[in-house]
Amino acid sequence: VKEAGFKTVRIPITWKQHMGKAPNYTVDEAWMDRINEVVDYVIDDGLYAIIDVHHDEEWCIPTAVAKEKSKEQLEALWTQIATRFKEYDSHLIFETLNEPRVIGSELEWMGGSSEEREAVNELNEAALKTIRSTGGNNKERAIMMPTYAASGSVEAVGGYKVSNDPN
């Protein structure tokens, strides 16, 4: 990858099969160790690594009804991830969510409803606040936060709230 000229590797991570139940949602240590190992491969090769919450739509649901429970689990997850990697330098980037959307909705890939877009904004902000609260290099780490479904549609972009955070 590096020899081909790339400078960044995105490592999509699905967590749902490796998390315990409420209230702690503890991530399996062997899974976290493996993620750490892969992140280290990328960074040790002089590249940037992006890690995210990927394909976790079963529990991370951006609706008014589900967002509080989703937020609780997302905050627990990002607390564990961010704590684990808080001393890593700027070569590690976090992405709060991957394509957050309501699966099967008629607006799933069309920018979502205003309610769903607002829920994504709230989930992004909750993850950002959680990451920043863990200290270390997470106070200034670059964090990617998507629109609804990571869409570039007029609706999704128009409903996106840019965080008041420099990174």
Side-chain angles (χ1 to χ4, degrees), residues 40-74:
D40 287 347
Y41 289 154
V42 173
I43 292 174
D44 289 348
D45 207 22
L47 300 167
Y48 288 85
I50 300 170
I51 59 176
D52 70 359
V53 175
H54 205 97
H55 294 143
D56 281 291
E57 297 88 1
E58 289 177 15
W59 63 265
C60 194
I61 305 166
T63 63
V65 172
K67 73 180 173 190
E68 291 308 316
K69 185 169 183 350
S70 297
K71 193 184 301 182
E72 174 187 301
Q73 191 165 350
L74 189 65

Side-chain angles (χ1 to χ4, degrees), residues 4-166:
F6 291 93
K7 294 181 171 60
T8 306
V9 174
R10 184 170 183 249
I11 306 165
I13 305 163
T14 304
W15 300 90
K16 62 187 169 197
Q17 302 96 322
H18 305 282
M19 292 177 72
K21 302 289 183 202
N24 298 327
Y25 302 103
T26 304
V27 175
D28 176 64
E29 192 67 26
W31 183 244
M32 191 68 88
D33 288 346
R34 177 64 175 143
I35 292 163
N36 209 143
E37 181 179 28
V38 173
V39 167
D40 287 347
Y41 289 154
V42 173
I43 292 174
D44 289 348
D45 207 22
L47 300 167
Y48 288 85
I50 300 170
I51 59 176
D52 70 359
V53 175
H54 205 97
H55 294 143
D56 281 291
E57 297 88 1
E58 289 177 15
W59 63 265
C60 194
I61 305 166
T63 63
V65 172
K67 73 180 173 190
E68 291 308 316
K69 185 169 183 350
S70 297
K71 193 184 301 182
E72 174 187 301
Q73 191 165 350
L74 189 65
E75 289 169 343
L77 176 58
W78 273 113
T79 296
Q80 294 170 80
I81 298 167
T83 299
R84 177 72 169 245
F85 292 101
K86 71 181 179 180
E87 300 307 323
Y88 278 64
D89 70 12
S90 63
H91 284 87
L92 180 60
I93 300 163
F94 294 152
E95 181 181 16
T96 58
L97 299 163
N98 174 71
E99 299 175 345
R101 64 197 188 283
V102 177
I103 303 296
S105 157
E106 64 183 38
L107 299 174
E108 180 177 356
W109 296 109
M110 301 174 70
S113 69
S114 61
E115 170 194 300
E116 294 163 347
R117 291 188 295 272
E118 182 56 33
V120 168
N121 288 327
E122 289 182 38
L123 292 169
N124 277 331
E125 282 296 320
L128 174 67
K129 182 178 177 185
T130 299
I131 293 164
R132 294 285 185 243
S133 75
T134 61
N137 290 326
N138 291 332
K139 290 180 184 176
E140 297 182 4
R141 182 171 314 289
I143 300 175
M144 299 166 52
M145 300 190 317
T147 62
Y148 182 90
S151 173
S153 73
V154 171
E155 294 80 13
V157 173
Y160 182 75
K161 289 185 182 169
V162 178
S163 177
N164 186 22
D165 186 282

